[in-house]
Amino acid sequence: MTDCINTPVARRPAASALVRGIYLPRAADGAAFAMTTYGIPLLVLATTGSATLTGLAFALEWLPRLGAFTVAGTVVDRYGTGLIFRIACVVRALIVLAAALLLTVMDEGAPAATATVMTLAALTGVATEFSYVAAETAGGEASRMAGSRAHQVQSVLLGIDQTAMLAGPLVSGLLLEHGGPAAMLGTLAGCSVLAAALGTHGRNGPLGTEPGQSGLRTGWVTLRSLPALAWLVGGLVVSNCAIGLLQAAMPVIVVTELGRSSADAGLIWSVAALASLLAITAARRAIDRWGLWPVGTASAAVAASATLVVAQVGTYRGYLLLIAVLMAGEGGLTVVLRTLRSHLIPSEVFGSTLSLTILLLLLPFPAAGLLVAVLPPAQLGHAVTAAAVLQAIGLAAAFTRLRTMRATHA
């Protein structure tokens, strides 16, 4: 891993090619991703008025995504990033537009409206993950071409994602509050169409691999052969148990328990995205100076500490500030993860291994949605405390093990 990280690549992508072929499509798709992830649970809560259905919708949004990852990496490896990215974005736009039209002729709170928003959560989750795997694979290809500057490419990509997360939740909440479901869903569809029009300039053809060389089994074998990446992914899986629970419970906590608006709920994640964006910029410079291991350790400590404290607060301002600190720590961890991932995973199985790592990282999210659906709102604080303790233990174990690996000092 050390040699892999420090070995420069002769052919590096031009800045203009990165902007047009990688960064702009990623920005449009990231906006759609953020509005899907944070806006649709708010839409469900506004349509049904039910905390249980909101948690269930969160689970329905993520469970099909996990299923999509079992095939998305293989499909991208076989047919190319450009084609799959465009198809996924167009399909998502059509699904969202169909739901918007249906909701305009339905009464709010009617069973048909409830069924529509719940189905929307499931279908958009599938389309979004196909576009994400394609975009992330194209970003991985660009990072490998950048050689020793891979963490800089990844920090830009992550910055784009976090900028989308900065605007997406707040815009979704404002559109839903002032324009209704049609305004929010119409904007989401527009972002999807723009992403499809821009496309991504990754590989547009198959790698020529045999069927046996793709799929989650290949991803699992590859991940097991890369112990540093495996330990980091394992620690982040445990950490995501806390992140997923906070994300699933936030609409219920803010709107139901604290009596705030949908826009206030979106504002929390927008402020958190801004903090994460600043942390990503700082992490890129810190890695240049101190390396991956110190930056990853510091980020893990910040994230775990913030989660332990957030479980004890009961005010809107407290949630806003502490979740911002938490996501700043997560931003630094994600730069470390993406840098290692782009260097270590062989290009011929990148899509399959990427799908596996993302699948593992997302497993806690549908479980969190189901937990929110069955727990009384008054018990959510205790659940967050338990998840925070697990997060601290998991990150401590992962980085203690990583410290002994020579590769992490690259």
Side-chain angles (χ1 to χ4, degrees):
M1 175 178 159
T2 303
D3 294 337
C4 186
I5 287 181
N6 287 329
T7 301
V9 177
R11 193 167 58 92
R12 290 178 173 176
S16 59
L18 285 172
V19 171
R20 175 61 184 88
I22 302 295
Y23 296 155
L24 288 179
R26 181 65 164 256
D29 185 62
F33 184 101
M35 293 189 70
T36 299
T37 301
Y38 296 97
I40 290 181
L42 290 174
L43 174 63
V44 172
L45 184 60
T47 302
T48 65
S50 169
T52 298
L53 289 177
T54 301
L56 183 59
F58 189 86
L60 286 176
E61 189 177 6
W62 284 103
L63 282 171
R65 293 186 181 194
L66 300 184
F69 278 120
T70 63
V71 295
T74 300
V75 170
V76 169
D77 283 343
R78 291 186 185 179
Y79 300 105
T81 56
L83 176 63
I84 301 305
F85 180 81
R86 288 185 173 90
I87 291 175
C89 290
V90 170
V91 168
R92 180 175 55 208
L94 294 175
I95 293 170
V96 170
L97 288 174
L101 291 174
L102 289 174
L103 289 174
T104 58
V105 299
M106 295 175 181
D107 295 329
E108 189 174 293
T114 299
T116 298
V117 293
M118 300 298 276
T119 303
L120 174 67
L123 295 181
T124 52
V126 174
T128 294
E129 292 316 312
F130 271 88
S131 71
Y132 177 77
V133 169
E136 187 70 3
T137 302
E141 294 169 359
S143 296
R144 283 193 298 275
M145 293 176 64
S148 60
R149 296 186 295 113
H151 66 281
Q152 297 177 6
V153 175
Q154 286 298 323
S155 65
V156 172
L157 292 174
L158 189 53
I160 290 171
D161 292 345
Q162 293 303 318
T163 301
M165 290 297 179
L166 171 64
L170 181 59
V171 170
S172 296
L174 290 173
L175 288 173
L176 188 59
E177 186 174 350
H178 299 290
M184 192 201 83
L185 294 177
T187 304
L188 171 55
C191 291
S192 298
V193 171
L194 178 61
L198 291 171
T200 181
H201 287 186
R203 179 174 44 83
N204 288 303
L207 282 167
T209 55
E210 297 297 326
Q213 292 178 288
S214 299
L216 293 182
R217 182 177 180 182
T218 296
W220 181 253
V221 172
T222 306
L223 184 62
R224 289 184 62 187
S225 70
L226 305 170
L229 183 60
W231 272 96
L232 182 58
V233 169
L236 292 179
V237 168
V238 179
S239 176
N240 279 356
C241 292
I243 303 297
L245 184 58
L246 284 170
Q247 188 172 319
M250 194 54 59
V252 178
I253 293 173
V254 173
V255 177
T256 303
E257 294 296 301
L258 300 180
R260 307 297 289 245
S261 67
S262 298
D264 290 331
L267 178 62
I268 286 182
W269 293 110
S270 294
V271 172
L274 176 60
S276 182
L277 182 61
L278 295 175
I280 289 164
T281 302
R284 179 180 64 182
R285 297 176 180 176
I287 290 172
D288 285 334
R289 183 170 182 178
W290 293 297
L292 287 173
W293 152 245
V295 174
T297 304
S299 299
V302 170
S305 300
T307 311
L308 285 169
V309 178
V310 77
Q312 311 303 319
V313 302
T315 65
Y316 176 78
R317 180 176 295 181
Y319 277 111
L320 188 149
L321 293 176
L322 286 169
I323 289 180
V325 174
L326 165 62
M327 296 311 294
E330 284 292 311
L333 285 172
T334 306
V335 173
V336 174
L337 170 66
R338 289 189 176 189
T339 302
L340 293 180
R341 193 168 60 190
S342 64
H343 276 298
L344 296 180
I345 302 175
S347 60
E348 63 272 13
V349 292
F350 189 89
S352 299
T353 311
L354 171 68
S355 292
L356 176 67
T357 60
I358 299 174
L359 174 62
L360 293 173
L361 292 172
L362 294 185
L363 281 173
F365 287 89
L370 293 175
L371 186 62
V372 172
V374 300
L375 277 180
Q379 299 299 317
L380 289 176
H382 300 299
V384 171
T385 301
V389 173
L390 288 176
Q391 180 191 38
I393 294 173
L395 289 175
F399 277 90
T400 299
R401 183 70 180 92
L402 285 170
R403 188 177 185 179
T404 65
M405 296 181 180
R406 189 178 125 189
T408 58
H409 293 285

